[in-house]
Amino acid sequence: MKDYVLEIRSLIGSRPFIIVGATVIVENEEGGVLFQFRADTKEWGLPGGAMEPGESLLETAERELWEETGLHAERMDHIETFSGKRFYFRYPNGDEVYNVIAVYKAFGVSGGGGGKAQGDETLDLHYFTELPEAIDVRAKEIMERVRGAGNGE
């Protein structure tokens, strides 16, 4: 992800661009949802990220789950795809994006010693039964709409 996004950023600077990616909802047996404390925004978000050239959305979801949590899923079901002005985001460094996010639910999750991040994007991992207070706006929107049976745009 970083190489492709950095290449685009070198051409357009911080201006907004459309970025396609995938997010994964992982639930434990108690109904808690796995959130990652993100290094870039210092907020709790759902594991996920941008699609690499040539990847499918499912491959993106699988790769991002592994990179950010150290977990693998036996199966992932596509729940919904979200987009539109509510998925605009400005990163702390000023980079702007309009996200198109395919949301998957993971089943048969294993590995990672209980979910230990593989890279430097994740500072902590935790299962929450209620939405965390310091939550990324995109993750909040996704969870509220998925749990409330809302529709994507």
Side-chain angles (χ1 to χ4, degrees):
M1 169 184 107
K2 290 184 179 182
D3 293 336
Y4 177 70
V5 172
L6 288 175
E7 182 180 337
I8 299 299
R9 284 287 173 214
S10 73
L11 299 171
I12 67 167
S14 292
R15 292 189 332 220
F17 77 102
I18 298 167
I19 193 160
V20 178
T23 291
V24 182
I25 296 174
V26 178
E27 289 186 81
N28 64 13
E29 293 177 4
E30 293 78 33
V33 174
L34 182 64
F35 282 86
Q36 67 172 133
F37 195 71
R38 299 175 51 93
D40 56 357
T41 62
K42 305 295 189 278
E43 296 174 309
W44 292 100
L46 295 166
M51 177 187 281
E52 292 279 356
E55 273 186 328
S56 70
L57 285 166
L58 177 59
E59 289 168 337
T60 301
E62 292 169 338
R63 176 181 52 77
E64 288 289 344
L65 181 64
W66 168 249
E67 287 177 0
E68 296 184 354
T69 69
L71 298 172
H72 290 283
E74 289 178 16
R75 184 179 100 232
M76 287 202 203
D77 290 352
H78 178 255
I79 297 174
E80 195 168 341
T81 300
F82 295 89
S83 61
K85 61 186 171 189
R86 290 193 300 221
F87 289 90
Y88 163 85
F89 190 77
R90 183 177 178 168
Y91 286 91
N93 68 359
D95 289 351
E96 298 177 73
V97 295
Y98 284 91
N99 292 278
V100 178
I101 304 171
V103 179
Y104 289 84
K105 184 169 183 182
F107 296 91
V109 176
S110 63
K116 186 171 176 96
Q118 301 298 300
D120 58 0
E121 296 178 40
T122 303
L123 299 176
D124 193 12
L125 295 166
H126 187 76
Y127 285 92
F128 290 90
T129 54
E130 301 289 329
L131 294 181
E133 192 170 310
I135 187 172
D136 176 281
V137 295
R138 296 161 296 178
K140 182 177 181 187
E141 179 81 12
I142 289 168
M143 290 306 300
E144 287 176 348
R145 289 170 70 183
V146 165
R147 286 192 168 164
N151 295 318
E153 292 184 7

